[in-house]
């Protein structure tokens, strides 16, 4: 079945550091891919999405490119802020439901 | 525009009891999905309702059930609670309209969740 694998956390960075969170997927067909973010005590918010190969999703300085050849959708940000501290989930739209990775907790220190 | 609301936000129950959680979708949204979030298993899909009908179902035992009302509000019920049912239960709504074959993704908007603790 469909599955998503993302790098284990937690990840701890200093402010203004470069962020990469790896995500790979297994799916039949060509699913849409997403990154969701969960701040403490809140539900999930859609951060960015890509619906076809080579699409780049971007939002709030975060970017991810849909790579069909490597079945990957890595999340990147050039300069993280303390306010980016949260849990990040990679997900795919499989068989009309979202399939999530286990999540990566990011902590950004000032 | 109000977001997805879930009640209650926190619940404590004991093994063997049953529990009902409620979800009110964003106005105009007719699709409601439920997810279970645990540290061990992560986020897992429970079921989705559209127009008062269950449209999709995850791999959970029959103790987990749900329903949707004509105003699109949804409830999920867990009977005979087990310790392993302790989790954050998230509800999400979307603009899905029932049109099959659509290639566009209908973004799911999540509520803050209900934290269920089973003692």
């Amino acid at each position: 079945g469909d599955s998503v694998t993302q790098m284990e956390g937690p990840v701890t960075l200093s402010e203004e550091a470069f962020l990469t969170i790896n995500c790979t997927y297994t799916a039949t067909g060509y699913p849409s891919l997403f990154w969701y973010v969960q701040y403490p005590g809140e539900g999930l918010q859609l951060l960015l999405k890509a619906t076809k190969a080579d699409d780049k999703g971007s939002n709030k300085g975060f970017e991810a490119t849909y790579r069909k050849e490597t079945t990957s959708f890595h999340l990147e940000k050039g300069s993280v802020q303390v306010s980016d501290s949260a849990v990040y989930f990679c997900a795919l739209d499989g068989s009309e439901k979202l399939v999530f990775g286990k999540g990566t907790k990011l902590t950004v220190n000032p | 525009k109000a977001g997805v609301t879930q009640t209650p936000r926190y619940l404590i129950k004991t093994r063997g009891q049953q529990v009902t959680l409620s979800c009110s979708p964003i106005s105009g949204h007719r699709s409601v999905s439920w997810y279970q979030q645990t540290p061990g298993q992560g986020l897992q899909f429970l079921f989705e309702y559209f127009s008062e009908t269950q449209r999709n179902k995850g791999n959970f035992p029959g103790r987990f059930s749900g329903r949707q009302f004509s105003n699109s509000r949804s409830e999920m019920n867990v009977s005979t609670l087990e310790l392993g049912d302790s989790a954050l239960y998230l509800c999400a709504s979307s603009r899905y309209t029932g049109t099959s074959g659509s290639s566009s993704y209908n973004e799911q908007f999540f509520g803050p969740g209900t934290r269920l603790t089973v003692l």
Side-chain angles (χ1 to χ4, degrees), chain A residues 32 34 36 38 41-44 46 49 89 93 95-98 100-102, chain B residues 9 35 37 40-43 45 48 55-56 88 90 105 107-108 110-112:
Chain A
S32 295
F34 312 90
Y36 279 83
Q38 185 176 36
E42 298 184 13
L44 275 68
L46 180 64
K49 67 180 180 184
F89 294 89
D93 183 20
S95 302
E96 298 182 330
K97 66 178 186 288
L98 288 174
F100 289 91
K102 290 291 182 71
Chain B
R9 290 294 309 275
Y35 295 84
Q37 185 178 14
Q41 299 299 315
L43 278 153
F45 173 77
E48 180 196 359
R55 196 171 82 93
N56 206 348
L88 180 67
L90 292 166
Y105 171 73
E107 178 181 346
Q108 295 194 27
F110 284 81

Side-chain angles (χ1 to χ4, degrees), chain A residues 55-87:
Chain A
D55 263 4
K56 177 185 280 188
S58 61
N59 186 26
K60 299 181 181 179
F62 291 89
E63 292 183 341
T65 301
Y66 191 143
R67 301 287 188 199
K68 189 177 70 169
E69 63 277 10
T70 55
T71 62
S72 65
F73 193 56
H74 305 320
L75 182 68
E76 296 182 335
K77 186 174 186 182
S79 176
V80 294
Q81 306 300 311
V82 172
S83 58
D84 294 327
S85 297
V87 181

Side-chain angles (χ1 to χ4, degrees), chain B residues 91-108:
Chain B
C91 165
S93 72
S94 81
R95 292 188 185 90
Y96 174 75
T97 60
T99 303
S100 62
S102 170
S103 61
S104 63
Y105 171 73
N106 294 290
E107 178 181 346
Q108 295 194 27

Side-chain angles (χ1 to χ4, degrees), chain B residues 2-69:
Chain B
V4 177
T5 57
Q6 293 187 245
T7 56
R9 290 294 309 275
Y10 302 92
L11 264 179
I12 299 176
K13 293 285 188 179
T14 56
R15 280 181 299 173
Q17 288 187 308
Q18 76 163 20
V19 67
T20 299
L21 312 181
S22 180
C23 171
S24 293
I26 291 172
S27 178
H29 287 192
R30 294 165 58 194
S31 168
V32 173
S33 298
W34 289 89
Y35 295 84
Q36 182 196 63
Q37 185 178 14
T38 60
Q41 299 299 315
L43 278 153
Q44 294 185 287
F45 173 77
L46 280 155
F47 29 64
E48 180 196 359
Y49 285 87
F50 173 75
S51 287
E52 301 177 64
T53 301
Q54 189 180 86
R55 196 171 82 93
N56 206 348
K57 187 179 188 304
N59 189 26
F60 277 80
R63 300 185 297 107
F64 292 81
S65 63
R67 60 178 176 168
Q68 187 179 34
F69 302 95

